[in-house]
Amino acid sequence: EVQLVESGGGLVQPGGSLRLSCAASGFTFSSYWMSWVRQAPGKGLEWVANIKQDGSEKYYVDSVKGRFTISRDNAKNSLYLQMNSLRAEDTAVYYCARRAFGVVVYFDYWGQGTLVTVSS
Amino acid sequence: QTVVTQEPSFSVSPGGTVTLTCGLSSGSVSTSYYPSWYQQTPGQAPRTLIYSTNTRSSGVPDRFSGSILGNKAALTITGAQADDESDYYCVLYMGSGISVFGGGTQLTVL
C-alpha cells in the first residue's frame, strides 16, 4: 500500500525557516517524480514544487522561487521541502504527492498534509 | 501568468447530472494539457478522480467522467449522490515541470 506521511509543520515567525519531510512507503520511491502541493486556510490547492526521480530537475511556482528548496533522499525514501524567508501568505497545509509514473502528468497519491503557520 | 478557471460553485439535485468545467484565461484546453480532476472534502486530502482527460482512477465510480467540451476540460457527474458534495479541482500541465490548479468548484447536492 502506497503511503505518504508528512511531518515538520508548525508555527514559525515571519522570516523564519522550516523543513518539511515526507516519508514514502509501499512503492519504489526512486522511480517517481514527487511534488509538494499546499492549501491556505479556506482556499484552493496550489502546486508548489516538483522534483525528478534523481533530483536532477526541480521546478517551483513563482511565489516560492529563491525561498523554497525541494530535495529528496532516495536511500531514505524521503522527500523534503526547505522553506526559508517565510511569509504570512505561506501559511497552509502542505501535501506531499506522488506524480504518476509515465508520460501522463497527474498526482496519483497524496499524503494527509502538515500545517505550517507563519505568524508572529 | 496562466490562470486555470473553474466555476466557484455549482448545485445539483440528487440523481441529477452536473458538468463542471476547467478553462484557461487565454487559449483552449486540449488533451496535451493532461487535464486531471481531484475531489476534496473538508479536512481531507484530495482524492484523484480523473486523469489524462477521461481516465478514471482506480475505484472511482463510473458516474464520474471526463472530457473536452469546446475549449475546456469537463467533469461530469451523472446521478449525483449526497456524498458527491465536495470541492472539485482540475489541474493542467503547462510543460516544463509546471502544473497549475484551478480555483476549485464547490459542489452542493440538494
Side-chain angles (χ1 to χ4, degrees), chain A residues 33 37 39 43-47 50 59-60 62 65 95 99 103-113, chain B residues 33-34 36 38 40 43-48 50-52 57 89 91 93 96-103:
Chain A
W33 282 77
V37 174
Q39 186 170 36
K43 303 297 185 182
L45 297 166
E46 179 184 40
W47 168 78
N50 280 341
Y59 302 94
Y60 301 90
D62 284 349
K65 283 180 182 176
Y95 294 101
R99 217 178 83 171
V103 175
V104 176
V105 179
Y106 72 102
F107 308 107
D108 61 353
Y109 285 93
W110 300 75
Q112 285 302 306
Chain B
Y33 285 92
Y34 301 120
S36 54
Y38 305 84
Q40 188 185 37
Q44 299 296 313
R47 170 196 182 197
T48 306
I50 300 284
Y51 62 92
S52 192
S57 190
Y89 295 91
V91 175
Y93 180 62
S96 300
I98 296 171
S99 296
V100 180
F101 280 82

Side-chain angles (χ1 to χ4, degrees), chain A residues 2 10 34 38 51 56 70-71 83 94 108 115:
Chain A
V2 172
M34 296 296 296
R38 67 183 179 182
I51 186 169
S56 62
I70 189 172
S71 63
M83 304 185 295
Y94 285 74
D108 61 353
L115 176 62

